[in-house]
Amino acid sequence: MTRDLTDSLQAQRQAAGPAPFPTLAVRRERLARLASMTKRHQQAIVRAIQRDFGQRSETEIHLAEIIPVLHAARHARRHLWHWMRPRRAGVPLRLWPARARIAPQPLGVVGVMSPWNYPWSLSLMPVIDALAAGNTVMLKPSELTPHTSALLAKLAPQYFTPEEFCVIQGGIEVARAFSALPFDHLVFTGSTHVGRQVAMAAAANLTPVTLELGGKSPALVASDADLDSAADAIIFGKGFNGGQTCIAPDYVIVESRRLDALTHALEHAIRRQRPTDIEATGYVSEAHRVRIDALLNDARDHGCRVIEHGDHAPALVIDPHQRLPLMQEEIFGRALPVISVKRIDDAVRLINQRPHPLVLYAFTHQTTLQETLRRGTRSGALVFNDTLIHHAVPSLPFGGVGESGSGAYHGRHGFERFSHLRSMFYQSKRPSSRWLRPPYHRWLLKLLRLG
Ligand code: NAD
């Protein structure tokens, strides 16, 4: 197994040559092929994902799996000429007339490891950015979505040579061996726990990593927030894909005097958005269902009020204790704790006691509070008055900080993440730096002493 993986990596390295630099035309054409691989097989993608999840809304599959890939490929094709161009860098006056530039260069072979929750888009979005940056790519999709992974493995060779892009299928053993390959860069999307092991495996090869991890993203409802629209956005974020979204609001925080009103607004939003289970997403495995049910039962056993609307819609858990597993682990499912605090300052303190989340959602239009949160908290993204939608803004870097990940991608940020930003320095025919060379003049020392 390890031998096959190493052979695939060597084949990509050799085909690319010692210093690969695909032209703009080659990169654009690769991106066009990747887009066709998604566009032409939409029905097969929908079917594969629905089989993997047992049940999943076709609209949500288009919104979250197909459209993001098509948009990301289009955005990269449109802007690539600009991103690829070496750009001027400033040179201090004392070094004039030398010139400096920054020239992006491909890294080589990029490894991509993807999770099960958005098995098509989270596999291909990093691939798009890596191909745009002129790299070749090996992808290891999740073993928990076998139909989608098999479809990726079947279609990739129809659109790419294995030296450009290949898909490696397999379970945890293959994933472990994959993470130990000496890639030029490794992107891992998954849990913080496994991310740590992947980073350790990559460290042995000095392979740089981008870690797109998870965590508990809070949604803070401030005193000026309109409760109905906040509840609407929170339930959208939690209900989408059954709460199995890395940027789903994990729990809600509100001032105690508004707890009852917010609970009603959330219930109302659930009834309106999820009146039946028809549009719901199933569990990827029985173990995932059992885990969420156990979290809810545990909360009930500890005397919490749990408000359920069917088996798949978000289930509200009112004021669970911070020590319950529900408030310790990333939920990644339909349970939605609603925590009450006396004052907003307590909410900020609560958020800051925990590892930095992937997103901090805040429902407020008060600019002073927005600024307090900007300066006083840390998270991958800070999003006001909506959920999930920031993912669709290609000019924003997407990634976490601390336990929620390191490094970001999407659009130009992904292009730069998977490029080496090479420093270029052009000395002039009459360099000013010649005064710095020995034998040193006495006046040089005098000048240096001035600082
Ligand atoms: P996971 O970490 O359990 O597994 C991810 C993949 O890692 C698996 O498919 C498996 O093949 C591989 N793996 C398992 N053990 C390994 C090991 N020891 N060494 C190397 N590879 C190993 O994650 P998951 O359950 O597939 O996905 C859910 C998690 O992903 C959640 O925590 C979620 O927040 C996170 N996530 C993050 C993002 C993001 O963009 N930040 C997006 C989606 C999901």
Side-chain angles (χ1 to χ4, degrees):
M1 167 182 72
T2 313
R3 179 91 181 274
D4 293 348
L5 292 177
T6 312
D7 288 350
S8 298
L9 178 66
Q10 278 313 326
Q12 291 206 350
R13 274 231 165 91
Q14 265 161 19
F21 196 93
T23 61
L24 173 64
V26 167
R27 298 185 200 196
R28 282 174 48 96
E29 196 265 334
R30 284 179 181 166
L31 292 170
R33 271 187 272 150
L34 194 124
S36 319
M37 189 176 116
T38 296
K39 194 159 177 78
R40 287 206 199 131
H41 302 277
Q42 295 183 35
Q43 274 321 306
I45 297 167
V46 170
R47 272 198 308 274
I49 294 177
Q50 285 180 334
R51 285 179 75 187
D52 281 330
F53 283 84
Q55 173 180 337
R56 192 158 159 193
S57 143
E58 184 168 351
T59 310
E60 288 190 9
I61 294 175
H62 279 274
L63 271 174
E65 305 269 14
I66 293 171
I67 295 293
V69 169
L70 298 179
H71 283 191
R74 191 187 310 153
H75 182 77
R77 290 190 77 225
R78 190 173 292 160
H79 296 281
L80 198 48
W81 68 272
H82 179 56
W83 300 343
M84 280 175 71
R85 244 181 7 184
R87 57 176 190 265
R88 272 182 55 183
V91 173
L93 196 60
R94 60 187 176 277
L95 296 180
W96 276 15
R99 287 179 303 115
R101 298 207 293 175
I102 298 169
Q105 187 174 37
L107 293 171
V109 183
V110 173
V112 174
M113 303 178 75
S114 54
W116 55 267
N117 60 328
Y118 291 99
W120 194 263
S121 59
L122 288 178
S123 295
L124 294 186
M125 301 275 283
V127 175
I128 289 171
D129 292 1
L131 290 177
N135 303 289
T136 61
V137 183
M138 288 172 65
L139 165 70
K140 158 69 183 77
S142 174
E143 64 282 0
L144 291 182
T145 44
H147 296 101
T148 315
S149 298
L151 184 63
L152 279 164
K154 183 180 126 192
L155 293 179
Q158 295 174 21
Y159 287 82
F160 292 92
T161 67
E163 288 81 18
E164 290 173 316
F165 170 47
C166 67
V167 178
I168 310 287
Q169 291 190 88
I172 291 182
E173 282 316 308
V174 174
R176 223 177 250 138
F178 190 90
S179 65
L181 290 176
F183 289 113
D184 298 296
H185 193 101
L186 179 59
V187 193
F188 170 80
T189 306
S191 63
T192 303
H193 168 69
V194 177
R196 201 168 268 127
Q197 297 177 37
V198 167
M200 285 198 280
N205 300 310
L206 289 183
T207 295
V209 287
T210 295
L211 299 174
E212 300 291 340
L213 310 177
K216 291 181 85 64
S217 296
L220 173 62
V221 179
S223 47
D224 68 306
D226 176 80
L227 291 183
D228 286 330
S229 60
D232 217 32
I234 291 169
I235 294 305
F236 168 68
K238 192 67 169 187
F240 202 92
N241 204 26
Q244 304 167 122
T245 305
C246 54
I247 50 174
D250 188 277
Y251 62 100
V252 182
I253 315 181
V254 65
E255 285 159 298
S256 5
R257 64 188 172 87
R258 305 235 288 171
L259 176 65
D260 285 345
L262 179 65
T263 307
H264 283 130
L266 287 167
E267 279 191 84
H268 183 66
I270 294 168
R271 278 195 297 269
R272 204 159 30 75
Q273 289 185 28
R274 305 273 166 190
T276 65
D277 281 344
I278 292 171
E279 295 276 90
T281 300
Y283 293 96
V284 79
S285 75
E286 180 61 10
H288 287 76
R289 187 189 64 73
V290 168
R291 188 182 144 264
I292 296 296
D293 286 351
L295 287 177
L296 289 171
N297 286 334
D298 179 62
R300 255 186 226 105
D301 293 347
H302 282 85
C304 296
R305 191 172 147 225
V306 176
I307 307 169
E308 288 194 270
H309 294 268
D311 291 338
H312 291 281
L316 308 178
V317 184
I318 310 303
D319 253 341
H321 196 282
Q322 291 295 315
R323 277 200 299 273
L324 292 190
L326 192 70
M327 286 311 295
Q328 294 291 321
E329 324 170 352
E330 176 183 8
I331 294 171
F332 219 60
R334 66 196 180 96
L336 181 61
V338 185
I339 308 291
S340 69
V341 289
K342 267 212 186 103
R343 290 163 356 113
I344 285 297
D345 299 353
D346 300 325
V348 173
R349 211 166 303 122
L350 196 71
I351 291 163
N352 283 337
Q353 276 165 6
R354 298 178 162 277
H356 311 319
L358 194 53
V359 195
L360 169 56
Y361 293 110
F363 292 86
T364 178
H365 289 279
Q366 283 175 30
T367 42
T368 44
L369 180 57
Q370 292 181 343
E371 277 303 284
T372 305
L373 292 172
R374 182 174 72 82
R375 293 168 194 219
T377 62
R378 234 186 265 273
S379 60
L382 174 57
V383 174
F384 296 109
N385 304 309
D386 209 342
T387 61
L388 310 191
I389 301 298
H390 65 290
H391 186 267
V393 181
S395 54
L396 286 177
F398 184 78
V401 59
E403 294 223 347
S404 57
S406 60
Y409 71 119
H410 282 196
R412 184 173 197 153
H413 307 282
F415 172 87
E416 295 199 343
R417 184 76 191 163
F418 306 135
S419 296
H420 168 57
L421 298 183
R422 196 179 200 182
S423 295
M424 314 269 295
F425 184 79
Y426 302 80
Q427 189 51 280
S428 75
K429 284 185 179 157
R430 290 183 59 75
S432 54
S433 56
R434 66 184 183 278
W435 305 112
L436 297 175
R437 295 176 191 156
Y440 300 117
H441 277 282
R442 251 177 313 153
W443 61 258
L444 177 61
L445 186 58
K446 280 187 189 152
L447 208 65
L448 290 173
R449 280 182 180 146
L450 289 177

